[in-house]
Amino acid sequence: MEGLPTTMKSERRWRSKPLQTTSRPSIVMAFFSCVAWLYVAGRLWQDAENRTLLTNLLNKNLDKRPKVLSLEDKLAVLGCKDLERRIVEAEMELTLAKSQGYLKNQDQKSSTSSGQKLLAVIGVYTGFGSRLKRNVFRGTWMPKGDALRKLEERGIVIRFVIGRSANRGDSLDRNIDEENRTTKDFLILEGHEEAQEELPKKAKFFFSTAVQMWDAEYYVKVDDNIGLDLEGLIEMLDRRRGQDAAYIGCMKSGDVITEEGKPWYEPDWWKFGDEKSYFRHAWGSLLILSKNLAQYINVNSASLKTYAHDDVSIGSWMMGLQATYIDDDRLCCSSIRQDKVCSVA
């Protein structure tokens, strides 16, 4: 009997142990559930506060913004649109002006004593070693001294065109300066270096300088191996007075020389296509440009591409313009035509 209570106590203790073990996980789960509920509730409360704050700010901004534009606001908007339109129009006018060859500046230019526009400026290309040729011209078709001044009164200016020596101020330059002091019939291109390989650039310098110095209808480029029928040339140009965008000459084309070392070699031969033929252009010994085309060269000289030959270079500049090509056989100096105005000297 005495052993019975002891046995019953042991059974109670054994039965109570599983109860304590199963209650702990429940408490832990309940704790984490409470924490999770508090976290979710806190986020929902915070989001509600943020929505309330944003709604208040939006309402305030809506109250401050005018629902109807004021007269000043409308005028400002219209003013901006009008200014934008005027800027676009000015850009279009500037582009048109450049394409038509307006000058970069409007310096005072020479004309006749009566204030009339000159008919032509004739530039005769020459070099440092061509003094004998110049003297021959002065004794034949080209007037000199007072006769040259009187010709200018008729609207014709003639000048020998030359650049400067590679060694500025040397005997070559001094000889030209001395000759010019005596004859006063030179146009000296101060920015141009006189050399055979620089002839295409010389064309840019000549037309740019001439159009800035003289206000004329036409600008004529002549080589120093060409003799002119001056009166015949004057008559021909006088009949074309007032014609804009005129590119006049003995038009030709020819094969592009692709082999280096040969005469007339063209370094940019690959640009002329598979046929290796130049585009149509005026023969370089004598060609004529109207004023607006010469102005175009002056305005755009810095960006104009030159090729191996000056006549090809000028022809390439004319291709991008609305130039009127005038092929006049009288300017083919080597032809057998009787009324031609030039001949190979």
Side-chain angles (χ1 to χ4, degrees):
M1 297 294 291
E2 291 180 358
L4 183 62
T6 303
T7 302
M8 292 178 65
K9 288 180 180 179
S10 297
E11 290 178 356
R12 285 195 206 90
R13 290 194 190 112
W14 181 83
R15 290 175 181 174
S16 66
K17 286 180 180 178
L19 293 173
Q20 293 175 359
T21 302
T22 57
S23 64
R24 288 176 184 173
S26 299
I27 295 172
V28 171
M29 290 298 294
F31 173 75
F32 280 112
S33 296
C34 291
V35 172
W37 182 84
L38 290 173
Y39 174 77
V40 173
R43 289 300 301 268
L44 292 174
W45 177 83
Q46 187 178 8
D47 289 343
E49 288 292 318
N50 290 339
R51 285 195 295 272
T52 303
L53 180 61
L54 291 174
T55 301
N56 293 335
L57 290 174
L58 182 60
N59 291 332
K60 289 180 180 179
N61 290 334
L62 288 174
D63 293 337
K64 292 180 180 179
R65 190 178 65 182
K67 293 181 175 57
V68 180
L69 289 175
S70 65
L71 179 60
E72 290 77 8
D73 294 332
K74 290 182 179 180
L75 291 176
V77 172
L78 293 175
C80 290
K81 290 183 178 179
D82 182 64
L83 180 60
E84 181 181 3
R85 178 184 59 80
R86 290 164 62 187
I87 290 174
V88 172
E89 290 177 353
E91 290 176 345
M92 293 174 64
E93 290 175 358
L94 179 60
T95 302
L96 179 62
K98 284 185 176 181
S99 68
Q100 293 178 343
Y102 286 108
L103 290 174
K104 292 179 284 190
N105 53 60
Q106 296 294 331
D107 294 338
Q108 186 66 33
K109 291 173 286 213
S110 298
S111 57
T112 63
S113 59
S114 60
Q116 294 180 348
K117 194 178 203 179
L118 297 171
L119 176 60
V121 174
I122 302 174
V124 182
Y125 277 25
T126 189
F128 293 117
S130 300
R131 183 161 189 168
L132 180 59
K133 286 185 178 181
R134 292 193 291 272
N135 288 335
V136 170
F137 283 1
R138 293 183 185 112
T140 53
W141 65 266
M142 180 176 173
K144 57 183 178 179
D146 293 338
L148 188 64
R149 306 285 91 77
K150 290 180 180 179
L151 185 65
E152 293 179 9
E153 293 300 317
R154 293 176 56 192
I156 304 296
V157 172
I158 305 177
R159 293 290 185 272
F160 289 110
V161 183
I162 194 170
R164 285 300 190 182
S165 169
N167 302 312
R168 292 299 181 93
D170 63 4
S171 59
L172 296 176
D173 282 346
R174 292 195 298 271
N175 289 339
I176 292 297
D177 291 336
E178 181 180 354
E179 184 179 351
N180 188 38
R181 281 192 291 269
T182 303
T183 60
K184 295 180 175 58
D185 56 5
F186 277 88
L187 172 59
I188 300 176
L189 308 175
E190 296 292 345
H192 174 67
E193 180 181 320
E194 188 66 35
Q196 183 66 30
E197 62 273 13
E198 298 295 329
L199 279 177
K201 295 181 181 178
K202 187 174 183 177
K204 290 200 291 187
F205 278 96
F206 164 60
F207 287 111
S208 296
T209 305
V211 81
Q212 291 181 68
M213 292 183 63
W214 294 286
D215 181 19
E217 295 274 351
Y218 295 101
Y219 299 84
V220 184
K221 178 256 177 182
V222 184
D223 283 345
D224 65 354
N225 64 338
I226 299 298
L228 284 181
D229 173 7
L230 188 57
E231 292 299 324
L233 179 64
I234 293 173
E235 181 183 357
M236 184 183 74
L237 294 178
D238 192 53
R239 290 180 179 178
R240 296 189 179 275
R241 190 186 289 269
Q243 183 172 358
D244 286 336
Y247 175 37
I248 310 172
C250 178
M251 298 294 169
K252 64 166 189 171
S253 60
D255 295 334
V256 179
I257 305 302
T258 62
E259 296 181 31
E260 188 172 0
K262 284 191 173 183
W264 314 111
Y265 167 66
E266 175 60 71
D268 289 316
W269 58 265
W270 58 274
K271 294 183 178 180
F272 295 92
D274 296 334
E275 298 297 327
K276 305 296 185 300
S277 178
Y278 285 120
F279 40 77
R280 184 71 70 182
H281 60 277
W283 185 47
S285 293
L286 173 58
L287 60 86
I288 305 166
L289 298 181
S290 62
K291 179 181 177 180
N292 59 335
L293 296 183
Q295 286 176 323
Y296 173 83
I297 295 174
N298 177 39
V299 172
N300 300 281
S301 60
S303 58
L304 292 177
K305 163 72 178 174
T306 57
Y307 292 95
H309 315 297
D310 58 347
D311 54 357
V312 174
S313 299
I314 296 171
S316 70
W317 305 337
M318 298 300 106
M319 286 183 67
L321 304 176
Q322 294 291 338
T324 301
Y325 282 58
I326 300 173
D327 185 10
D328 196 323
D329 291 343
R330 290 174 294 176
L331 300 176
C332 297
C333 304
S334 58
S335 72
I336 59 174
R337 183 168 173 168
Q338 295 298 319
D339 60 344
K340 63 183 181 181
V341 299
C342 59
S343 60
V344 178

